[in-house]
Amino acid sequence: MKYFGEIKAFNHQENTIVLKLDDIDVHESNLFKNNIGNYLELDFDDKRIISYKQQRKIYALLNSITKTMQMDLETIKQELKRNFCKQHHQEMFSLSNCTVTIANNFIDYLVNICLEWDVEFASKALDIAKDSYGWEINCLNNKKNVVYVAIKCK
């Protein structure tokens, strides 16, 4: 079931929100009342638009994939976007105006694809990928080594 509404309040200490739902009937009201304490999934409408920095990350990763796979950038971009949308039950999106959330998820997806397909990273793309959330997890899932060197400065 999908419901729409507005966030009315947020309690930071308890991480709770109060929602005002649009147009629910008595049956739906009882459904919520009888399920207090159960879990639900919340899909938030992220109004933030992809940043220039995210676009750069995506295209750096796509360029590395393109070189390794020896394919046209536009072809590989469309194919990877299509596969991403299918895997994430996501509508098709544009890299010029998608949400920040979609862009972040697509970056993580591309990093995983690069590791899965043994894509040779350009140094710029590798720096970008290492900054990506989930880099270590993606490396471990794809049986790639992750080594960090800590340098102590005085």
Side-chain angles (χ1 to χ4, degrees):
M1 290 180 253
K2 199 174 240 188
Y3 296 95
F4 297 91
E6 176 184 0
I7 298 173
K8 295 306 257 181
F10 175 73
N11 180 323
H12 183 69
Q13 286 77 24
E14 296 180 18
N15 285 337
T16 58
I17 59 175
V18 175
L19 300 174
K20 179 184 182 293
L21 298 174
D22 296 341
D23 305 323
I24 61 170
D25 61 25
V26 173
H27 170 72
E28 293 166 321
S29 179
N30 287 332
L31 180 70
F32 285 112
K33 204 179 328 175
N34 294 332
N35 281 288
I36 291 175
N38 287 344
Y39 289 92
L40 68 105
E41 178 181 340
L42 181 65
D43 188 10
F44 188 74
D45 185 10
D46 185 357
K47 299 279 190 225
R48 301 170 300 155
I49 301 297
I50 186 172
S51 70
Y52 174 71
K53 190 174 179 181
Q54 287 175 308
Q55 287 174 333
R56 284 182 51 215
K57 285 181 182 185
I58 289 169
Y59 279 99
L61 292 167
L62 286 172
N63 283 328
S64 289
I65 294 168
T66 299
K67 283 181 184 172
T68 299
M69 303 306 290
Q70 297 179 348
M71 291 179 69
D72 173 57
L73 174 64
E74 198 57 37
T75 303
I76 199 90
K77 178 176 82 171
Q78 290 306 317
E79 187 62 32
L80 289 172
K81 281 173 50 180
R82 205 173 2 267
N83 289 341
F84 169 81
C85 290
K86 189 175 181 181
Q87 281 183 15
H88 290 85
H89 309 288
Q90 169 72 49
E91 289 183 27
M92 189 52 99
F93 60 94
S94 168
L95 292 175
S96 64
N97 63 0
C98 67
T99 66
V100 168
T101 302
I102 291 171
N104 282 334
N105 291 340
F106 190 56
I107 290 167
D108 287 340
Y109 170 80
L110 291 176
V111 167
N112 194 47
I113 289 292
C114 289
L115 294 169
E116 216 175 273
W117 294 356
D118 290 323
V119 168
E120 188 175 317
F121 286 102
S123 62
K124 180 180 175 183
L126 182 59
D127 291 341
I128 285 169
K130 285 182 179 176
D131 287 341
S132 175
Y133 175 78
W135 168 255
E136 294 86 359
I137 298 298
N138 283 326
C139 284
L140 293 171
N141 287 340
N142 288 284
K143 297 177 177 70
K144 306 290 181 190
N145 291 328
V146 179
V147 178
Y148 287 102
V149 177
I151 300 172
K152 187 175 180 180
C153 299
K154 291 185 180 185

